[in-house]
Amino acid sequence: MPDSSVHEPDFTTSTSPPPPRQVALKSSEHTSLLRKLPGMRTLFSIILIVACLIGGGFVTWLVASMREDPKRAEPVERSHIVQVYEAETVTIQEMITGFGTARAMQEVILSAQVSGEIVETIVPLKIGKEILAASFQTDVDGVSKQSSGDLIARIDPQTYQQRVEQAEDLLNEDQAELNRLEQEQKNLAQRLQIAEKNFNAFMKEYQRVENLVRQEIASPSDLTTAELDLRKYEDAKVQLETELALMPQKIKQVEAKRQTRRNDLELAKLEFERTAVTSPISGQLSKISVEKGQYVRVGDPLVTVTSKKQVEIPIGIAMEDYLKIIPQIAAGQYPTARISTRRTADAYWEGLVTRASPTADTQTRTVDVFVVVDNENSASPLLPGTFVTVQIEGPMHENVIAIPRDAVIDDEILLAQDGKVVTVPIKKTIDIQTIRILKDQLTPGDQIIMTNLDILKPGDAIKIPEDSTQTLEDEMKRMQIPNFRIFSQP
């Protein structure tokens, strides 16, 4: 029997659960909606940002439309500040600059001319010792006398003195031989006269005997005896004539031998004199290579004597500078030179360019000229071995205008006229170091622009500050060694 507690389902009520398929469909739609929600948020953010930008732009436009336009200022012409160089008429002399080392014009190295021991020296034998050379002096009567120079050193003279005495003895022997031969020649001449007289006398006796034999008064034996006696006297006469004829040759031989002895004596005396070492020039000892007691040989250097009276400076100059001064040297008009030991030295010496080398240096392409300085006319001497700067007087340029070469661009310069830039072409004439010499191209007082040359154009406005104007003297101060000097200013 069926249980009465079991009831049938009521399909009419709303609280009954949905069918299983319907519940599954609703769950899937919910999941899909959750997946689409982030993309919707991104789209909403983009839309919001775009709306803000549009709103901000509208507000900006609205504010800008309400503002009044500013008043525009009138354009102002710009001026360049420049420095200028004031042109002036001057007379300029070119100075040819060179460098060199002074050397003594008179310097001698005294060497031993004979061998031996140094037995005596000058006191003190030190560098700087004054040395006097032998000299000739003329008294009031016009008689010249030689004064001996200072004895610097003496080589042992004993051996050379003995050679002199030996040569004198041999010369005396030759003189005695010569005297003997001359006396013998005289004796032979006298004997020959006697022999000729005897021969003539016996010749008369022979002729007398011969006449007697013809007259048969004397025998032929008497004639033979007379002839033998005549031949005896004839032989004596011929012998004396032969000896007398040989005497001149013997005398010549002795005279030649005597001349040789005389030369030996002169050589011995010369060697003896050379034992005393003296200097041919006056000066000072600049080098000493010997001392007392030292043995020296021929050719060994002893001392060096240097004279400071005149020094010579060889300097090399360019060929174009050489051509400027060589005509004066050839004409005997020696250019003046100024010599200093430093670039800015206050003390200097005056010299003369006396000669030039006939050849140029193949490596440096320069020509050597020689400057002579007379120290006797200087308050302080220029010492040999001093390295100096030499400036030689060159050509003179009168009534010219000198401008800095830095102001020249493509053969043009910029002038300041009435506060404007003006371009002026110039012709190239002569350049001396950092300046250019012009003739009749500018007017004294013209202001040449020196700065901002790369940006200035003709017609630009310019301003010149006070105390900014340069002069030729300022340009010379800028140079360490100016190759010119202002000779005069009109």
Side-chain angles (χ1 to χ4, degrees):
M1 288 180 66
D3 190 359
S4 57
S5 60
V6 176
H7 301 281
E8 292 292 331
D10 189 0
F11 293 99
T12 63
T13 60
S14 60
T15 59
S16 60
R21 182 176 178 80
Q22 185 178 2
V23 173
L25 291 172
K26 290 181 179 181
S27 176
S28 175
E29 293 176 357
H30 181 71
T31 303
S32 177
L33 182 62
L34 290 176
R35 290 177 179 176
K36 294 180 179 179
L37 185 59
M40 295 176 64
R41 288 178 180 177
T42 301
L43 179 61
F44 178 78
S45 299
I46 293 173
I47 295 172
L48 181 61
I49 291 172
V50 172
C52 291
L53 292 175
I54 294 173
F58 177 76
V59 172
T60 302
W61 172 82
L62 182 61
V63 173
S65 63
M66 296 175 64
R67 186 178 60 183
E68 296 182 358
D69 294 335
K71 295 181 180 181
R72 295 185 177 181
E74 296 295 331
V76 179
E77 186 179 9
R78 183 179 178 184
S79 299
H80 298 277
I81 298 177
V82 296
Q83 292 183 347
V84 295
Y85 173 89
E86 185 174 351
E88 56 180 322
T89 302
V90 294
T91 296
I92 286 182
Q93 184 176 33
E94 293 187 49
M95 302 297 290
I96 301 170
T97 302
F99 305 90
T101 302
R103 65 187 184 189
M105 291 193 67
Q106 287 187 325
E107 185 177 64
V108 59
I109 300 175
L110 301 178
S111 301
Q113 295 178 295
V114 294
S115 301
E117 180 184 354
I118 301 296
V119 295
E120 183 181 356
T121 62
I122 193 172
V123 179
L125 184 63
K126 294 182 178 179
I127 293 178
K129 173 66 176 177
E130 290 285 348
I131 301 296
L132 294 178
S135 60
F136 290 90
Q137 297 179 350
T138 304
D139 57 17
V140 294
D141 298 331
V143 179
S144 297
K145 296 181 180 180
Q146 182 180 6
S147 61
S148 59
D150 291 336
L151 177 67
I152 300 175
R154 187 185 298 279
I155 301 172
D156 189 0
Q158 183 176 358
T159 301
Y160 303 98
Q161 178 65 36
Q162 292 176 353
R163 291 180 183 176
V164 171
E165 294 175 355
Q166 183 180 5
E168 289 177 344
D169 293 340
L170 293 175
L171 185 62
N172 292 333
E173 290 180 2
D174 292 338
Q175 183 63 42
E177 178 67 14
L178 181 62
N179 295 337
R180 186 188 68 78
L181 290 176
E182 290 177 349
Q183 184 62 42
E184 184 177 353
Q185 186 180 26
K186 293 178 180 180
N187 296 338
L188 287 174
Q190 292 177 358
R191 290 172 60 190
L192 180 60
Q193 291 178 357
I194 296 173
E196 289 177 347
K197 290 180 180 180
N198 293 334
F199 175 77
N200 293 332
F202 275 94
M203 176 62 72
K204 292 178 180 181
E205 179 63 20
Y206 173 78
Q207 293 174 353
R208 187 184 66 80
V209 173
E210 187 179 18
N211 290 331
L212 293 176
V213 171
R214 289 192 189 104
Q215 296 174 8
E216 298 180 354
I217 298 174
S219 63
S221 61
D222 294 334
L223 181 60
T224 302
T225 302
E227 184 178 359
L228 291 174
D229 291 338
L230 179 62
R231 295 290 179 265
K232 185 186 300 182
Y233 284 102
E234 184 180 7
D235 291 341
K237 182 176 77 68
V238 171
Q239 183 178 1
L240 290 174
E241 288 176 346
T242 302
E243 292 181 359
L244 187 61
L246 293 176
M247 290 305 298
Q249 185 64 28
K250 292 182 178 180
I251 292 175
K252 286 182 179 180
Q253 291 177 353
V254 175
E255 287 179 346
K257 186 178 179 182
R258 187 169 178 271
Q259 182 62 39
T260 302
R261 304 292 191 189
R262 187 182 294 110
N263 294 338
D264 291 341
L265 177 60
E266 294 297 328
L267 181 59
K269 288 182 178 180
L270 180 60
E271 290 181 340
F272 176 74
E273 292 175 357
R274 287 175 174 175
T275 60
V277 180
T278 59
S279 174
I281 64 171
S282 297
Q284 291 179 305
L285 294 179
S286 57
K287 187 176 181 180
I288 299 173
S289 305
V290 73
E291 59 184 7
K292 187 176 180 179
Q294 180 178 342
Y295 185 87
V296 294
R297 296 177 176 84
V298 176
D300 289 347
L302 304 178
V303 296
T304 301
V305 180
T306 302
S307 174
K308 299 185 300 181
K309 290 184 178 180
Q310 286 186 330
V311 295
E312 185 179 57
I313 309 163
I315 63 171
I317 61 176
M319 179 59 67
E320 55 268 22
D321 293 331
Y322 168 80
L323 296 177
K324 294 176 183 177
I325 64 173
I326 191 60
Q328 302 180 50
I329 298 176
Q333 301 172 357
Y334 305 123
T336 303
R338 179 188 178 102
I339 300 98
S340 60
T341 55
R342 298 188 303 273
R343 292 180 174 179
T344 57
D346 295 331
Y348 64 93
W349 297 266
E350 295 288 344
L352 295 176
V353 182
T354 59
R355 59 191 178 95
S357 174
T359 60
D361 192 303
T362 58
Q363 295 182 350
T364 62
R365 299 294 190 268
T366 58
V367 182
D368 284 341
V369 295
F370 300 87
V371 181
V372 176
V373 178
D374 191 352
N375 280 327
E376 292 185 342
N377 299 328
S378 303
S380 58
L382 176 60
L383 298 180
T386 305
F387 184 77
V388 294
T389 300
V390 180
Q391 289 185 306
I392 303 171
E393 292 183 353
M396 192 82 69
H397 306 281
E398 299 182 355
N399 300 325
V400 297
I401 291 179
I403 66 172
R405 291 174 56 188
D406 296 341
V408 182
I409 300 178
D410 297 332
D411 291 335
E412 290 183 347
I413 59 175
L414 302 180
L415 294 184
Q417 292 183 358
D418 301 327
K420 299 290 185 179
V421 176
V422 178
T423 302
V424 176
I426 62 172
K427 298 178 181 179
K428 184 176 180 180
T429 53
I430 299 175
D431 290 338
I432 305 177
Q433 204 168 352
T434 63
I435 70 167
R436 176 166 292 184
I437 296 178
L438 304 179
K439 185 77 172 178
D440 301 330
Q441 299 187 52
L442 293 177
T443 303
D446 285 347
Q447 293 182 324
I448 304 169
I449 300 175
M450 297 293 297
T451 57
N452 295 329
L453 299 179
D454 55 339
I455 62 175
L456 291 177
K457 300 182 297 298
D460 286 352
I462 55 174
K463 290 183 179 180
I464 304 173
E466 295 182 0
D467 300 331
S468 64
T469 302
Q470 300 180 14
T471 62
L472 183 58
E473 293 183 359
D474 298 330
E475 186 69 14
M476 292 184 65
K477 291 179 181 179
R478 189 170 67 89
M479 303 177 192
Q480 294 181 341
I481 306 179
N483 284 2
F484 64 93
R485 66 176 179 178
I486 303 175
F487 185 76
S488 64
Q489 290 185 346

